[in-house]
Amino acid sequence: MEKQRILIVDDDEHIAELISLYLVKECYETEIAYTGQDALKLFKTFSPHLVLLDIMLPDIDGYEVCTEIRKTKQTPIIMLSAKGEIFDKVLGLKLGADDYMIKPFDSNELVARVKAVLRRTVMIPDQSTMAIETDHQGDYVEYDSLLVNITNYTVIFEGRQLDMPPKELELLYFLASKPNQVFTREQLLDKLWGYEFMGDSRTVDVHIKRVREKLNESHGWSISTVWGKGYKFEVR
């Protein structure tokens, strides 16, 4: 069985090698990049299943590396940083990171988060190479101008396929499959991220915002905010 590949990006050689040691013990294959530019080069040649990305790098920072990766791939990214402010976490998530860990971190927690993120994304096809399928196969929900298929992980909106990362698609499908039902942030975290997720409930807000930006909600449905409660897929 092929080992899952993890790209470690950190300019601190000691930290990078220590992370690599922990992951190799868990039977992952690793490569290390010490700069942002090297990370982007290795990303193309190594084709990792997940990226552990430090924010503070000597050339381009982790935010820019994340942005460049997201232009072509939806490979899971866990950001690592000594910055613990909410602004930094939210910015990382807005740019497409799947999780955010503050240094110093416990090795067991790091491994647990890596496994959790990979579990959520394994076996999900890369949407950048998928053909548009509109034949209504598998499990899907459909509304005016919108079809969300959770079996083949596609979103067809106004006749074209949207480039939507797995977690955004899962969130949209979950809400759309239960129209007009209100869910709190905590319920959505539990249902979609699982109990092992140790992030902030603002993660839900960021993902909702990103989904809304991709949809023109003028078709008799919308993702509505229920103030003081949470969110719902409202069908009018």
Side-chain angles (χ1 to χ4, degrees), residues 36-55:
Q37 294 291 358
D38 286 345
L40 293 175
K41 292 175 184 176
L42 263 177
F43 183 82
K44 294 178 180 178
T45 58
F46 185 51
S47 298
H49 294 91
L50 181 144
V51 180
L52 290 172
L53 179 59
D54 187 28
I55 292 178

Side-chain angles (χ1 to χ4, degrees), residues 63 79 86-97 100 206:
Y63 295 130
M79 282 191 161
I86 292 297
F87 169 81
D88 298 298
K89 292 182 182 179
V90 172
L91 178 57
L93 292 168
K94 281 183 176 179
L95 293 175
Y100 189 107
V206 171

Side-chain angles (χ1 to χ4, degrees), residues 139-143 146-150 172-173 176-178:
D139 296 324
Y140 65 89
V141 291
E142 185 174 15
Y143 295 91
L146 176 69
L147 187 147
V148 186
N149 192 313
I150 198 67
L172 175 59
Y173 176 82
S177 64
K178 298 171 176 60

Side-chain angles (χ1 to χ4, degrees), residues 22 101-113 198:
Y22 293 138
M101 290 193 69
I102 300 171
K103 295 180 179 180
F105 45 76
D106 179 77
S107 60
N108 292 322
E109 181 184 354
L110 174 66
V111 171
R113 291 206 190 194
M198 293 168 267

Side-chain angles (χ1 to χ4, degrees), residues 35 40 58 60 70 92 125 127 168 186 190 192 212-213 221:
T35 69
L40 293 175
I60 59 175
R70 283 290 173 263
Q127 294 181 46
E168 292 177 26
E186 290 71 23
D190 178 26
L192 298 170
R212 282 172 169 165
E213 288 172 348
W221 50 263

Side-chain angles (χ1 to χ4, degrees), residues 149-181:
N149 192 313
I150 198 67
T151 299
N152 59 28
Y153 273 75
T154 55
V155 177
I156 308 299
F157 179 61
E158 295 184 339
R160 63 186 179 87
Q161 182 174 322
L162 293 185
D163 182 17
M164 188 171 288
K167 193 52 59 182
E168 292 177 26
L169 187 148
E170 290 167 11
L171 178 60
L172 175 59
Y173 176 82
F174 180 79
L175 290 172
S177 64
K178 298 171 176 60
N180 298 318
Q181 185 172 341

Side-chain angles (χ1 to χ4, degrees), residues 208-235:
I208 289 285
K209 181 176 183 293
R210 294 200 317 227
V211 171
R212 282 172 169 165
E213 288 172 348
K214 296 172 183 176
L215 300 174
N216 173 18
E217 301 175 332
S218 59
H219 298 276
W221 50 263
S222 64
I223 299 176
S224 300
T225 301
V226 181
W227 299 109
K229 295 292 184 179
Y231 298 99
K232 67 177 179 178
F233 188 90
E234 183 175 3
V235 179

